[in-house]
Amino acid sequence: MKKSEIFFGIIKIPMDFLMTVLAFLAAYRFRLYADVNRLFEKAIDYSVLPSPTEYLNFSTYSALALIFIFAINQMYTLKITQTFSKESRKVIFLCGIWAMAIITYYFFIREFPFSRLAILFSWAFTLIAIIFGRAIVRILQRISLKAG
């Protein structure tokens, strides 16, 4: 096994973590400024939304949970044996499981401290960001292999 394979296999973990947290923060901002609120009859009470610090803590724990789900499902292998489309489909499937785990957690504790729309945005942005991050890693790995 080459050192570059090990490096690019390991770099996926912090990349997924970073992309997830950034996606959550983007969803938090998007939720506050998006015009999707016009679709709903009820006015949004912004005072019940969590502070940015609370949301950052939530996004950190959620990112760790996603990494755990990815690790259990062998998304951090050191050799590239999957095509990018197959890896992307697996990311989509596992992000769906992750979103359901978050919803199930809040169902069991009977508390939902922020907007469900924020969860939907977070899931969608995380999905896009992780696929984008993994594409960047793949491109860099191919450039590295061509360069020698």
Side-chain angles (χ1 to χ4, degrees):
M1 183 173 297
K2 296 179 184 178
K3 290 180 182 179
S4 65
E5 287 178 334
I6 294 171
F7 172 76
F8 286 110
I10 291 174
I11 199 72
K12 290 179 187 176
I13 298 170
M15 177 69 85
D16 287 347
F17 181 83
L18 178 68
M19 290 298 189
T20 303
V21 171
L22 289 176
F24 265 78
L25 295 177
Y28 182 79
R29 288 290 182 198
F30 187 74
R31 174 68 182 97
L32 293 176
Y33 299 113
D35 282 340
V36 295
N37 295 335
R38 289 186 286 159
L39 300 174
F40 304 104
E41 297 285 328
K42 185 178 174 187
I44 304 294
D45 181 14
Y46 291 109
S47 65
V48 299
L49 293 176
S51 69
T53 306
E54 292 171 333
Y55 201 75
L56 182 63
N57 288 338
F58 171 71
S59 66
T60 301
Y61 291 128
S62 297
L64 291 173
L66 182 63
I67 288 172
F68 178 73
I69 290 170
F70 278 10
I72 288 174
N73 289 284
Q74 300 172 348
M75 291 293 290
Y76 298 120
T77 57
L78 298 181
K79 284 191 172 188
I80 296 180
T81 57
Q82 296 180 358
T83 63
F84 184 70
S85 62
K86 189 173 184 178
E87 185 179 22
S88 296
R89 283 193 303 264
K90 200 169 181 182
V91 166
I92 292 168
F93 176 72
L94 293 175
C95 281
I97 290 174
W98 167 71
M100 290 300 115
I102 291 172
I103 292 168
T104 303
Y105 169 75
Y106 282 113
F107 177 77
F108 281 123
I109 66 168
R110 297 181 185 265
E111 180 182 317
F112 205 74
F114 52 89
S115 169
R116 291 168 298 280
L117 193 56
I119 287 289
L120 178 66
F121 288 153
S122 299
W123 173 77
F125 289 173
T126 299
L127 189 63
I128 292 166
I130 287 179
I131 290 173
F132 179 72
R134 285 181 173 250
I136 290 171
V137 168
R138 255 193 212 246
I139 290 168
L140 292 175
Q141 187 171 15
R142 284 196 180 146
I143 290 171
S144 171
L145 288 174
K146 285 181 183 178

